[in-house]
Amino acid sequence: MKKTLLLVMCVGLTGRAAAQAGSSVSADAVVVTVGMTISTLRDLNFGTVIKGVPTTILPTAANAGEWQVSGSANAFIVISFTLPTQLTNIQALPGSTMPISFSAVAAVWRRATNNPVGGTIFNPATGAVGRFGPAPNPTMYVWLGGTVNPALTAKPGIYQGNVIVSLIYQ
């Protein structure tokens, strides 16, 4: 019995053959001719809000946040945001905050034209891929709206927070 088992194991080992496989990937690069500049054109401004009443600013509104970005003509760019979840009252006692949120349609980008109407709507929480305008106007504009929801017990004062927009050539 031991001899048979040993013979089967040896036959099994000698029956294995070495195999080789290969594969390849392509290497691509996009050369951009210029760096990128970004300018804040307008802060997201909710104005005066009433306690207990949510206030929404659409990205197409005159008081939506707005940025102008210049870069390489027709280049694609990844747009992402770091969004606050609350605004802090800079005049009241520490800990006075107000919730802020951003819907799935709270952001818009548009190439070469400074008007959000007709732009591409996107979710600022997930970001988007935008595109610079063609020469001679290699610009892109980005707008952001949002909603604040002051509590009935909100302390009076000015509430502020930071929105960070990040842009990367794709």
Side-chain angles (χ1 to χ4, degrees):
M1 181 88 147
K2 287 184 182 179
K3 290 182 183 180
T4 307
L5 181 59
L6 183 57
L7 181 60
V8 171
M9 286 180 48
C10 288
V11 170
L13 289 176
T14 58
R16 291 188 182 173
Q20 289 185 319
S23 182
S24 66
V25 297
S26 66
D28 299 321
V30 175
V31 177
V32 294
T33 56
V34 295
M36 198 177 342
T37 60
I38 184 167
S39 302
T40 300
L41 299 181
R42 185 175 51 242
D43 291 330
L44 174 56
N45 185 352
F46 290 93
T48 302
V49 297
I50 300 168
K51 292 180 180 186
V53 179
T55 301
T56 298
I57 303 296
L58 298 175
T60 55
N63 49 344
E66 182 182 7
W67 295 268
Q68 178 182 359
V69 188
S70 298
S72 192
N74 295 308
F76 289 92
I77 187 168
V78 176
I79 308 164
S80 62
F81 288 95
T82 302
L83 301 167
T85 57
Q86 61 186 7
L87 304 179
T88 302
N89 190 325
I90 62 170
Q91 296 175 319
L93 296 172
S96 299
T97 60
M98 178 187 325
I100 184 170
S101 60
F102 303 89
S103 76
V105 294
V108 173
W109 71 268
R110 188 162 186 196
R111 57 189 303 220
T113 303
N114 188 3
N115 184 345
V117 176
T120 302
I121 299 168
F122 68 99
N123 184 340
T126 57
V129 175
R131 189 171 187 191
F132 286 113
N137 188 15
T139 58
M140 179 176 63
Y141 296 87
V142 179
W143 294 269
L144 180 68
T147 300
V148 292
N149 194 1
L152 287 171
T153 58
K155 305 235 184 311
I158 298 171
Y159 289 76
Q160 291 181 338
N162 291 316
V163 171
I164 300 169
V165 62
S166 300
L167 307 162
I168 303 170
Y169 277 117
Q170 183 181 36

